[in-house]
Amino acid sequence: MAGIQHQLQVELGDRSYPIFIGQGLLGQQDLGQWVAGEQVLIVTNETVAPLYLEKARASFSGKQVDVVILPDGEFYKTWEVLNRIFDQLLEKRHTRKTTLVALGGGVVGDMTGFAAACYQRGVDFIQIPTTLLAQVDSSVGGKTGINHPRGKNMIGAFLQPRCVLIDTSTLETLPNRELSSGLAEVIKYGLIQDNQFLSWLEEHMDGLMALQSDTLAEAIFRSCQCKAAIVAADEREAGVRALLNLGHTFGHAIETYTGYAEWLHGEAVAAGMVMAADMSKRMGWLTYNDIDRITQLLVRARLPIRPPETMSPDDFYALMAVDKKNIDGALRLVLLHSLGDATVTAEFDPELLHLVLSAHQEAQE
Amino acid sequence: MAGIQHQLQVELGDRSYPIFIGQGLLGQQDLGQWVAGEQVLIVTNETVAPLYLEKARASFSGKQVDVVILPDGEFYKTWEVLNRIFDQLLEKRHTRKTTLVALGGGVVGDMTGFAAACYQRGVDFIQIPTTLLAQVDSSVGGKTGINHPRGKNMIGAFLQPRCVLIDTSTLETLPNRELSSGLAEVIKYGLIQDNQFLSWLEEHMDGLMALQSDTLAEAIFRSCQCKAAIVAADEREAGVRALLNLGHTFGHAIETYTGYAEWLHGEAVAAGMVMAADMSKRMGWLTYNDIDRITQLLVRARLPIRPPETMSPDDFYALMAVDKKNIDGALRLVLLHSLGDATVTAEFDPELLHLVLSAHQEAQE
């Protein structure tokens, strides 16, 4: 297909699918070949619809194309809002052969994927992620779901898309904070398994922040490659896939604490990665210099490096206790043996964790 | 295990599981070996809990056993009620290694299975069906889900249980209407693919209605065998599995029309099977004698053989249009070439269908 700069295949047997990356792909590409039947439902949100809905609609010419426009934000990743998708599918009489299309960020992707997983016990879906975060993270790997008042992403399913179309030009309309939020996950890939990519990011962070198209496409491609390799090895998160949660145990606690409203996902993950790095240093695995490299890269990406100052260790303990990585009640953390080498462990001194969870409050005093 | 009269294996590769059938199994059997972790959540309803909850609880000695008691009835197969299961799982901090146990009828089974499919993107579950309908139908095959105001079972997932325990003595406390409702599905197996079983049922219907334990165990075993073979051939309902829906297209329309409250599932299926048989006769496939055998067997099982008299052809058309078997808008019906030989088809004369849908109203005039 024309305009494609990078292409990769996520290898998952009969659930394998391609990711296409390029500038201006949306509207140029006819996506009809990825649709099994004659019906398409595009799910998007109030922010993205005015910008890209017509281009997306044009990608499915000749099909019955219906649309659902959701409110924008993690706050709306609820059952009530999900139900608007089911209402529309049933009202427009979509059958099992329908294809759902997620046009938007991670929230739209998660909800559309979960709706596809549940509607008539499972229909196809396609991802057109329009935020950096969704392009490098939530569009790869098939995790879908909604939030529960007691915990993020607690209700969901695994469902792989038929294909993913990443148009880097959608990032030109992305708010700066959202770009930074996506960069948190990009940096994460370097930290957990690719020291060379980490150095590349240190070299190209200014270009990424300036939205240089080729640099963005390269960063997205390398991030997707990294995630695709991990997902291919462990689709159901029985082992190595948990490494993708670096910073997320702390980060999810921050998001739940702040009601999914104040902090963007990547911002919470950034602060969480600093906490995971701090823990790793206290365990003797990382050096002061390593911590400096991490915090400097995050700061250059305009990301926070501390949790909310009002958030106490007890707040963290209560919210981390429901983390999906935990097994039979034991808290498990993703930590760094070194830069580019992560591990999941439940074996750590609780005293050290307490120091990590209280460090930001001491710093305020 | 002691007390097991029949045992069969549902063959689904790495999702294969056993079904144990016998009188008095519940409470005799330790089910701990089927639980991966240390946590169990038993989901049951207000009617079943006083009768069998303690016996079920005793089957998981040494584990953390929590309980959710739901209201009883298809009317409650909604997201709001499903959420009580999630609330309890999160409140009691159940991890990904938890096992959900469905103790009750089809509604409890469908909701518990769907909760297991979605909680943390999927945990284990075990079925202990206590109604005949659940024992012969919903506990085999992995269909789970909830209703949507616009259609039955529209939201759901496929998830196979780890094992199914069928204690025929639970049928002694089952209301007569519920027993009849289960017999509708038993008769269905004979009609769609087992003419010999149909003759066996004609011979043993009085024994089944009198709750003869060995006769019940035999009928349940043969029903499960029939369904297990079909599910093994077509887990995701791409083909032959649709035959299990004999009478269900009409039946689901009846259930939706009456708000899931007046008619039991098997009652609606019984009336639906007569309509499917009527259609098959009008297409020249069945004889008057075949129709007589079907209606007589249903009447002996104290099942209805007509839809609600107020329900018009237009009511049926509107409600059948959202049936999950439909492909690209075309209505598909399960019909009978002969007794014991069903087929799915979209090729029929709409005039004949109209006659079938209006016959019960003409009969009233």
Side-chain angles (χ1 to χ4, degrees):
Chain A
M1 293 197 284
I4 293 172
Q5 292 172 273
H6 298 276
Q7 178 172 344
L8 73 152
Q9 182 81 357
V10 182
E11 297 292 354
L12 292 165
D14 59 2
R15 294 181 307 288
S16 297
Y17 64 91
I19 302 177
F20 307 109
I21 303 166
Q23 194 178 18
L25 288 187
L26 187 58
Q28 275 177 22
Q29 303 295 332
D30 179 19
L31 294 174
Q33 65 175 299
W34 302 99
V35 173
E38 297 305 318
Q39 298 177 305
V40 170
L41 179 76
I42 300 176
V43 181
T44 185
N45 69 31
E46 295 162 347
T47 309
V48 175
L51 299 168
Y52 302 113
L53 178 55
E54 286 319 306
K55 280 188 178 176
R57 200 196 285 268
S59 308
F60 301 97
S61 62
K63 305 288 180 184
Q64 172 194 333
V65 181
D66 295 303
V67 175
V68 176
I69 299 178
L70 306 178
D72 186 6
E74 181 86 27
F75 179 75
Y76 298 100
K77 209 166 105 177
T78 63
W79 174 262
E80 288 71 27
V81 177
L82 183 75
N83 236 337
R84 296 195 202 170
I85 302 176
F86 296 134
D87 288 342
Q88 181 75 350
L89 285 166
L90 286 162
E91 191 181 320
K92 297 293 168 60
R93 299 189 172 175
H94 283 246
T95 70
R96 267 187 195 168
K97 285 234 174 164
T98 190
T99 298
L100 273 61
V101 177
L103 174 71
V107 172
V108 166
D110 283 4
M111 295 183 80
T112 308
F114 188 44
C118 296
Y119 184 63
Q120 303 207 11
R121 301 197 188 92
V123 298
D124 280 351
F125 88 116
I126 288 173
Q127 296 255 35
I128 306 178
T130 60
T131 67
L132 181 59
L133 182 61
Q135 290 170 351
V136 300
D137 181 23
S138 42
S139 68
V140 188
K143 281 192 181 181
T144 73
I146 55 175
N147 296 328
H148 184 281
R150 285 173 183 269
K152 195 170 141 72
N153 292 327
M154 277 293 159
I155 316 297
F158 284 95
L159 184 70
Q160 304 302 335
R162 295 270 294 146
C163 74
V164 178
L165 186 89
I166 298 177
D167 181 347
T168 54
S169 65
T170 59
L171 301 180
E172 290 161 18
T173 55
L174 195 66
N176 291 338
R177 267 184 77 191
E178 297 274 357
L179 183 79
S180 295
S181 180
L183 286 173
E185 297 282 355
V186 174
I187 293 166
K188 181 194 76 180
Y189 294 118
L191 289 176
I192 60 174
Q193 76 162 23
D194 193 344
N195 206 354
Q196 275 196 309
F197 184 42
L198 197 68
S199 302
W200 185 92
L201 285 170
E202 289 176 318
E203 214 171 301
H204 293 89
M205 185 51 71
D206 296 341
L208 292 170
M209 293 298 283
L211 293 177
Q212 283 174 6
S213 169
D214 292 351
T215 315
L216 283 169
E218 171 86 15
I220 292 166
F221 176 60
R222 290 178 75 160
S223 296
C224 287
Q225 267 189 320
C226 175
K227 182 154 185 186
I230 288 175
V231 168
D234 177 22
E235 187 179 2
R236 287 273 171 164
E237 198 164 326
V240 68
R241 184 162 178 173
L243 300 182
L244 293 170
N245 272 308
L246 177 70
H248 284 60
T249 307
F250 302 114
H252 282 170
I254 293 170
E255 286 182 278
T256 308
Y257 177 80
T258 54
Y260 304 115
E262 281 171 66
W263 286 60
L264 295 179
H265 176 67
E267 293 172 340
V269 167
M273 288 196 294
V274 175
M275 295 174 81
D278 184 18
M279 184 72 184
S280 306
K281 193 197 67 176
R282 288 176 199 265
M283 290 176 74
W285 293 349
L286 293 190
T287 65
Y288 275 105
N289 181 49
D290 293 332
I291 301 288
D292 284 350
R293 282 182 66 188
I294 296 171
T295 52
Q296 280 174 25
L297 201 53
L298 293 172
V299 167
R300 285 173 69 199
R302 296 213 192 93
L303 284 160
I305 54 173
R306 282 184 212 293
E309 52 183 290
T310 55
M311 203 174 163
S312 71
D314 283 346
D315 292 328
F316 273 103
Y317 290 128
L319 294 167
M320 294 192 303
V322 294
D323 189 80
K324 289 191 290 296
K325 285 186 298 301
N326 299 346
I327 294 175
D328 291 333
L331 184 64
R332 294 169 81 227
L333 296 173
V334 184
L335 300 175
L336 296 171
H337 274 305
S338 64
L339 297 186
D341 179 16
T343 188
V344 185
T345 182
E347 290 175 23
F348 49 79
D349 182 347
E351 280 297 312
L352 294 184
L353 179 61
H354 197 81
L355 290 172
V356 169
L357 298 180
S358 49
H360 65 291
Q361 293 201 309
E362 283 162 19
Q364 307 297 328
E365 285 163 11
Chain B
M1 294 197 284
I4 294 173
Q5 292 172 272
H6 299 276
Q7 177 172 345
L8 72 152
Q9 182 80 358
V10 182
E11 298 291 353
L12 293 164
D14 59 3
R15 295 180 307 288
S16 297
Y17 63 91
I19 301 176
F20 306 109
I21 304 166
Q23 193 178 21
L25 288 187
L26 187 57
Q28 276 176 22
Q29 302 296 332
D30 179 18
L31 294 174
Q33 63 175 301
W34 303 98
V35 173
E38 297 303 319
Q39 297 176 307
V40 170
L41 179 75
I42 300 176
V43 180
T44 186
N45 69 30
E46 294 162 348
T47 309
V48 176
L51 299 168
Y52 302 113
L53 178 56
E54 286 318 307
K55 278 188 179 176
R57 198 196 286 271
S59 308
F60 302 98
S61 61
K63 306 286 181 185
Q64 172 194 333
V65 181
D66 296 304
V67 175
V68 176
I69 299 177
L70 305 178
D72 186 6
E74 181 86 28
F75 180 75
Y76 298 100
K77 211 167 103 175
T78 62
W79 175 262
E80 289 69 28
V81 177
L82 183 75
N83 235 339
R84 297 195 202 171
I85 303 175
F86 296 134
D87 288 342
Q88 181 75 350
L89 285 166
L90 285 161
E91 190 181 320
K92 296 291 169 60
R93 299 193 172 171
H94 283 246
T95 71
R96 268 186 193 172
K97 286 234 174 165
T98 189
T99 298
L100 273 60
V101 177
L103 174 70
V107 173
V108 166
D110 283 4
M111 296 184 80
T112 307
F114 188 44
C118 296
Y119 184 62
Q120 303 207 12
R121 300 196 189 90
V123 299
D124 280 350
F125 89 117
I126 289 172
Q127 296 255 37
I128 306 177
T130 60
T131 68
L132 182 58
L133 181 61
Q135 289 169 353
V136 299
D137 180 23
S138 44
S139 68
V140 187
K143 281 193 181 179
T144 73
I146 55 175
N147 296 329
H148 184 281
R150 284 175 183 268
K152 195 170 141 74
N153 292 327
M154 277 291 160
I155 317 296
F158 284 95
L159 183 71
Q160 305 300 336
R162 294 269 295 146
C163 73
V164 177
L165 186 88
I166 297 177
D167 181 347
T168 54
S169 64
T170 60
L171 301 180
E172 289 161 18
T173 56
L174 195 67
N176 292 338
R177 267 184 76 192
E178 296 275 356
L179 184 78
S180 295
S181 179
L183 286 173
E185 297 283 355
V186 172
I187 293 166
K188 180 194 75 179
Y189 294 118
L191 288 177
I192 60 174
Q193 75 162 25
D194 193 345
N195 206 354
Q196 275 198 307
F197 184 41
L198 198 68
S199 302
W200 184 93
L201 285 170
E202 290 176 318
E203 212 169 302
H204 292 89
M205 184 52 71
D206 297 340
L208 292 170
M209 293 298 284
L211 293 179
Q212 284 175 5
S213 169
D214 292 350
T215 314
L216 283 169
E218 172 85 15
I220 293 166
F221 176 61
R222 288 178 77 159
S223 297
C224 288
Q225 266 187 323
C226 175
K227 180 153 186 185
I230 289 176
V231 168
D234 178 23
E235 187 179 2
R236 288 274 172 163
E237 198 165 321
V240 68
R241 185 162 178 173
L243 301 183
L244 293 170
N245 272 309
L246 177 69
H248 284 61
T249 306
F250 303 112
H252 282 169
I254 294 171
E255 285 181 280
T256 309
Y257 177 80
T258 53
Y260 305 115
E262 280 170 66
W263 286 60
L264 295 179
H265 175 67
E267 292 172 340
V269 167
M273 288 194 298
V274 176
M275 296 174 81
D278 184 17
M279 183 73 183
S280 306
K281 192 196 65 174
R282 289 175 197 267
M283 291 177 73
W285 294 349
L286 292 192
T287 65
Y288 276 105
N289 181 50
D290 293 332
I291 301 289
D292 283 350
R293 282 183 67 189
I294 296 171
T295 51
Q296 280 174 25
L297 201 53
L298 293 171
V299 167
R300 286 173 69 198
R302 298 215 189 91
L303 284 161
I305 53 173
R306 284 186 210 289
E309 51 182 290
T310 56
M311 202 172 165
S312 71
D314 284 347
D315 292 328
F316 272 105
Y317 290 127
L319 294 168
M320 293 194 303
V322 295
D323 189 81
K324 291 192 290 295
K325 284 186 299 301
N326 298 348
I327 293 175
D328 292 330
L331 183 65
R332 295 168 80 228
L333 295 174
V334 184
L335 301 175
L336 295 172
H337 274 303
S338 64
L339 297 186
D341 179 15
T343 188
V344 184
T345 183
E347 290 173 24
F348 49 80
D349 182 347
E351 281 298 312
L352 294 184
L353 179 61
H354 198 81
L355 291 173
V356 169
L357 298 181
S358 49
H360 65 290
Q361 293 199 310
E362 282 161 21
Q364 308 297 326
E365 286 163 10

